[in-house]
Amino acid sequence: GAVVSQHPSRVICKSGTSVKIECRSLDFQATTMFWYRQFPKQSLMLMATSNEGSKATYEQGVEKDKFLINHASLTLSTLTVTSAHPEDSSFYICSASYGVPSTDTQYFGPGTRLTVL
Amino acid sequence: AQKVTQAQTEISVVEKEDVTLDCVYETRDTTYYLFWYKQPPSGELVFLIRRNSFDEQNEISGRYSWNFQKSTSSFNFTITASQVVDSAVYFCALTLSNDMRFGAGTRLTVKP
C-alpha cells in the first residue's frame, strides 16, 4: 500500500519550454502532497506543499510563477516548470500523505529527472 | 529552528559488518516525528521507520534497528550483517507543523 507514482521519470527539454510533471497516489487519497528538489549528492529541499483544492504553499525562495503547482484531486498533483532554463535541471520528487501532514508519513514517488538543454 | 544533522557523509563497509548511521536533531518542540528513508541508486525514497517524540522505545525490524534517545537528541540507525543491497543513501528526517526537514544524508557502500 501507499504507492506514489510520477510521470515522466525522465525528461529532456530545450531552454524556454515548459514541462509538466504528474504525481499520483495510486492506492490512497492524499490530503497533502509535497514537491521536493534534489541536486546531485545533496539532500531534498522542500519546494512547496499543496492541499487538494487550495493554493500551494511555497517555501521561501521558490518562485511560484515559475513552479506552478496544481492539486486538482485527492490523487493527483502536478508541477509545471515554466520557461525552463538549464539551472532548473534537477531531480524532482513528490510525496503524499493521507493524514495530518505534520504527523503522518510521507510516501515518495520515484522522482523525475529534468534536464534542460 | 529545526535541524537534522547526519555527520557521516559516506561510510564504506564490507559485507556482513554491522554499521551505525548517526542522526542528531534540533527542535524546541516537544511533539515531533522522526523518520528514516533509504534512497537506492534508482532514486526513489523508501520509508523505513517513523517514531514520535513520546516513544523512546528502540525498534528492531529484521537486520535494522533504531536507537532513539531524547537526552542526546539522537535517532541512530544500525544495520547488522550488512549486505550489498543495503548500499544506498540514507536520510534522517524530522517533521512538525507540516514541515519535514531532511538531513544531508549518509551514503553507505557495502562491498562484497
Side-chain angles (χ1 to χ4, degrees), chain A residues 54-66:
Chain A
S54 59
K55 288 185 179 180
T57 301
Y58 289 80
E59 293 296 297
Q60 195 170 10
V62 177
E63 300 175 59
K64 60 175 121 179
D65 294 331
K66 180 160 189 69

Side-chain angles (χ1 to χ4, degrees), chain B residues 48-67:
Chain B
L48 296 178
I49 190 172
R50 180 184 83 154
R51 175 67 73 216
N52 75 55
S53 53
F54 299 108
D55 183 3
E56 280 193 78
Q57 209 169 14
N58 292 331
E59 180 153 340
I60 298 174
S61 176
R63 295 183 298 107
Y64 295 169
S65 62
W66 291 269
N67 184 347

Side-chain angles (χ1 to χ4, degrees), chain B residues 11 19-20 27 30 48 56 64 70 80:
Chain B
I11 300 176
V19 59
T20 295
T27 179
T30 55
L48 296 178
E56 280 193 78
Y64 295 169
K70 287 179 75 171
T80 57

Side-chain angles (χ1 to χ4, degrees), chain B:
Chain B
Q2 62 206 60
K3 183 181 174 183
V4 178
T5 301
Q6 292 180 257
Q8 304 149 308
T9 307
E10 295 191 29
I11 300 176
S12 181
V13 299
V14 177
E15 205 168 22
K16 296 185 184 177
E17 285 185 25
D18 297 348
V19 59
T20 295
L21 310 181
D22 298 333
C23 174
V24 174
Y25 62 93
E26 293 176 32
T27 179
R28 292 179 184 166
D29 284 45
T30 55
T31 303
Y32 51 88
Y33 287 77
L34 294 162
F35 297 80
W36 275 95
Y37 286 90
K38 173 182 180 180
Q39 187 177 39
S42 61
E44 181 169 0
L45 271 84
V46 177
F47 165 73
L48 296 178
I49 190 172
R50 180 184 83 154
R51 175 67 73 216
N52 75 55
S53 53
F54 299 108
D55 183 3
E56 280 193 78
Q57 209 169 14
N58 292 331
E59 180 153 340
I60 298 174
S61 176
R63 295 183 298 107
Y64 295 169
S65 62
W66 291 269
N67 184 347
F68 177 28
Q69 291 196 346
K70 287 179 75 171
S71 59
T72 55
S73 297
S74 64
F75 187 42
N76 296 338
F77 172 33
T78 298
I79 303 175
T80 57
S82 60
Q83 299 176 2
V84 174
V85 293
D86 295 328
S87 297
V89 180
Y90 291 86
F91 290 99
C92 179
L94 166 71
T95 185
L96 57 94
S97 302
N98 207 27
D99 186 6
M100 180 176 272
R101 298 288 170 172
F102 285 83
T106 297
R107 183 176 300 275
L108 173 65
T109 302
V110 181
K111 299 177 181 176

Side-chain angles (χ1 to χ4, degrees), chain A residues 4-19:
Chain A
V4 176
S5 71
Q6 269 183 255
H7 178 80
S9 56
R10 287 179 182 272
V11 58
I12 301 173
C13 68
K14 291 183 179 179
S15 188
T17 60
S18 293
V19 174

